[in-house]
Amino acid sequence: MEIKGNIVVGQSGGPTAVINQSLVGIVLEARKHGSVGKVLGARHGIVGIMNEDFVDLSEQSESALERVALTPAAALGSCRHKPTKEDCEKVFDVFRKHNVHYFFYIGGNDSAETASIINDLARERSYELRVFHVPKTIDNDLRVNDHTPGYGSAARYVALCFAGNDLDNRALPGVKIDIVMGRHAGWLTAASVLAKIDERSGPQLVYLPERPVSLDKIADDIAEVYGRLGRCLVAISEGVCSPDGKLLIEAKITERDSHGNAQLSGSGALGDFIAAHVKAKLSDKYPKIRIRTDTLGYAQRSFAGCVSEVDASEARAVGTAAVKYAMKGDIDGSVVIHRLTDSDEYFAEPQLTKLSDVAKHTKDLPDGYINEEGNGVTEAYIKYAKPLIGKLPILGVLEDKTYK
Amino acid sequence: MEIKGNIVVGQSGGPTAVINQSLVGIVLEARKHGSVGKVLGARHGIVGIMNEDFVDLSEQSESALERVALTPAAALGSCRHKPTKEDCEKVFDVFRKHNVHYFFYIGGNDSAETASIINDLARERSYELRVFHVPKTIDNDLRVNDHTPGYGSAARYVALCFAGNDLDNRALPGVKIDIVMGRHAGWLTAASVLAKIDERSGPQLVYLPERPVSLDKIADDIAEVYGRLGRCLVAISEGVCSPDGKLLIEAKITERDSHGNAQLSGSGALGDFIAAHVKAKLSDKYPKIRIRTDTLGYAQRSFAGCVSEVDASEARAVGTAAVKYAMKGDIDGSVVIHRLTDSDEYFAEPQLTKLSDVAKHTKDLPDGYINEEGNGVTEAYIKYAKPLIGKLPILGVLEDKTYK
């Protein structure tokens, strides 16, 4: 059952390549329903609502919206603001003032929590507000979701970046260490293996936050691969911890403190730190060893022109579904992506779950996706992730025919 | 006039996304000529020749070669080895031993020089060796060439990376500083502007090695843009110098030395150093200013799946042309890309020039491509570079319609 009123939609947290698909899915579906008045886009998420700073999305042409859908990063602007109780009351007041009865918030687990708090407030005040969280995060760490919109495209970027780095490292052999985003879960780092050309392809080693590891173990692993292949490509999550539970990079911070150096961490600090350790350990045996490191940057979440088609269409679908749920009478919830597992062919669809199911907590890589030694991923992970990143470009290497 | 004999082809220097197109162009054209015996691919350039380490390219299937053509980084392996006089004599001996009368070397100006030395040696010994340099470099700094194969795809990557970073910086506003490859010339950094969506797009500031600049000037420029737009995206070449002619990063090295810190430079050092300086200068006025930095890595030269079609086809064409020149009787030279300037439509074709024209020296951005203040590029540069990077993805922003 529809209720008459305006819609507010907002985007929150780190951008992704397809978050605008969800926005456009919401706007275009809303236009089909007579009870909807205005569709208002909050500029910079919850902050825009508090400031009554809205884009009139009802006035956007369909062609402008379709261009926006293809464009990375949050078109409405995003925010990292975690609202207080007072903020939520302010939001609620703004909604009442502008006759808003539908609220769609596109974001990660923090956004689901914000939506949940506002939802509770509306119930307390007996104001009918239909509140829906729409999932988004390159981190792929939202519970209940098989995977999250944004992950497929970010994983595609990481996979293609590593495919290129591997080919580069075959051409000019050495040790290459690449640091990948993901503070708490290793989903994005795991994706580094998804565009391997053949069994000789790197990354040969993958380190994830789910498996603590010492610097010495990393150096030993690299020495083994380098001794065998004459080269080694390594994927390391920025969130990797040492066995004492501290982030690897914290060892560096301590070390630096004794120098009184103010700049404790830098954009390339973790990679440089690991590279220096590996070089020190391996230089006796390999005095000329070439070690390089890159820290993959914001391109992981917002590179223009590296979108997984599956990801784009699912991001659109969760936006559309949120409005359909709201219009058919559901009063709150989080839209999730559910994968049908009874078929070999990949198929996924939106479903609805409780806001509290998705809020707060996050989802790690399951044990079955990590190899026993804790320095790689399994076939089960590849089977899970491959359908999410879209069709890969054609790549190949020369046939191994030596002239004698 | 053809002479009977084998061909050696090698790849040298940093990989590009399309260097294998040139390789495949050479192999497939060579197959059309009856006087050619074997086509041998030197593994890791000049080093492979000295070690008589060759891939038999005559035995590669056409489909394998066409896959390789689409693949970034040097399929034969590359090297950074600058040969000595003795090395060149060794190369010459290997050529004579294996009845090699054609040598194609794909690389930058160092490779042209190597080719030139070997060429001189063959003349001295009255051994007919047809020596051709085939251009390749993401740096776009080879003389005589309008542009170089490899630049278009690297420029495309940089342009799309900045387009994404700009959208990201609109969504979560702050100062973002991105460091781009290019020690001596600013061609690749200039490409950061090529995928701008509209006049509000970043990068708003572009710093090139051709224009020395102080850290204070950079900070002042950023303060101006940030004050006006509430955000600022900056492209800085790794080769930017301060007015005293030293690399900007050297200031940091000096500073650190006093701490006895062994790790003088890191993969993110320049960006972090500039960011710290900007933060210190702007934090009085903007205490909450958000400054982030990325150092674009090897993905610039080898990201898989970000190829400019124009670049790919020109890289193929220079390989093909080199063999045609060799077969029709030219005995040495460097293939260059020549742009026809008498038409508004983009058109370029291979031509032949002397090896010495391309060897040793490099080509800077001309004055007309840099703005007066030395912190941006001109329309003339954009007109020059836009045809080189291929068709861009569709991108767009919301129409500026505020709800009142």
Side-chain angles (χ1 to χ4, degrees), chain A residues 343-388:
Chain A
S343 153
D344 265 356
E345 222 163 316
Y346 174 78
F347 187 78
E349 60 180 10
Q351 287 189 355
L352 193 63
T353 193
K354 283 189 292 182
L355 283 166
S356 57
D357 288 345
V358 175
K360 286 184 190 164
H361 304 285
T362 57
K363 188 179 74 177
D364 288 346
L365 269 175
D367 289 345
Y369 288 179
I370 306 173
N371 73 2
E372 270 194 47
E373 229 185 309
N375 61 8
V377 297
T378 61
E379 279 302 317
Y381 167 75
I382 294 169
K383 196 177 167 208
Y384 158 84
K386 204 106 186 208
L388 311 179

Side-chain angles (χ1 to χ4, degrees), chain B residues 85-138:
Chain B
K85 176 89 184 170
E86 291 71 48
D87 291 342
C88 290
E89 296 197 357
K90 172 77 189 160
V91 165
F92 181 76
D93 292 342
V94 171
F95 283 170
R96 186 140 55 181
K97 175 177 167 190
H98 291 285
N99 192 34
V100 173
H101 285 282
Y102 300 93
F103 175 41
F104 300 95
Y105 208 29
I106 311 167
N109 57 323
D110 283 344
S111 310
E113 202 184 338
T114 299
S116 181
I117 294 169
I118 293 167
N119 192 38
D120 291 345
L121 213 58
R123 278 183 201 232
E124 274 172 42
R125 313 265 166 105
S126 303
Y127 178 85
E128 186 164 354
L129 183 66
R130 298 190 181 177
V131 176
F132 292 83
H133 169 251
V134 177
K136 169 266 11 162
T137 171
I138 64 164

Side-chain angles (χ1 to χ4, degrees), chain A residues 250-288:
Chain A
E250 285 183 50
K252 180 187 174 73
I253 293 173
T254 315
E255 215 170 65
R256 287 282 185 90
D257 270 343
S258 64
H259 293 290
N261 192 328
Q263 198 181 341
L264 298 178
S265 67
S267 60
L270 178 58
D272 295 341
F273 181 50
I274 295 170
H277 190 87
V278 171
K279 188 151 195 155
K281 275 208 87 174
L282 271 66
S283 57
D284 273 352
K285 196 165 178 189
Y286 306 107
K288 284 188 173 174

Side-chain angles (χ1 to χ4, degrees), chain A residues 43 54 56 59-60 67 71 78 157 164 168 171 263 266-267 272 294 298 301-302 396 399 401-403, chain B residues 43 54 56 59-60 71 78 157 164 168 171 263 266-267 272 292 294 298 301-302 395-396 399 401-403:
Chain A
R43 287 207 178 95
F54 296 112
D56 191 342
E59 295 293 312
Q60 301 283 326
R67 288 177 75 97
T71 303
S78 188
Y157 177 87
D168 202 304
Q263 198 181 341
S267 60
D272 295 341
D294 275 332
Y298 281 25
R301 68 187 197 193
S302 56
E399 294 161 336
K401 289 173 180 162
T402 294
Y403 169 71
Chain B
R43 287 206 179 96
F54 296 113
D56 191 342
E59 295 294 312
Q60 300 284 325
T71 303
S78 187
Y157 177 87
D168 201 303
Q263 199 182 340
S267 60
D272 294 341
R292 296 286 184 277
D294 275 332
Y298 280 26
R301 69 189 197 193
S302 56
L395 299 172
E399 294 162 336
K401 289 173 179 163
T402 295
Y403 169 72

Side-chain angles (χ1 to χ4, degrees), chain B residues 23 42 72 134 145 149 155 162 179 185 203 209 227 231 241 247 270 313 325 361 383 386 389 401:
Chain B
L23 172 67
V134 177
N145 287 276
F162 272 85
I179 309 296
R231 59 187 166 86
C241 291
L247 283 173
L270 178 58
S313 95
Y325 286 126
H361 303 285
K383 196 176 166 208
K386 204 107 185 208
I389 65 169
K401 289 173 179 163

Side-chain angles (χ1 to χ4, degrees), chain A residues 141-172:
Chain A
D141 62 354
L142 298 189
R143 290 187 303 166
V144 193
N145 287 274
D146 175 76
H147 59 279
T148 57
Y151 176 64
S153 297
R156 177 183 181 82
Y157 177 87
V158 169
L160 293 175
C161 194
F162 272 84
N165 269 274
D166 173 62
L167 292 157
D168 202 304
N169 198 41
R170 292 178 191 224
L172 291 170

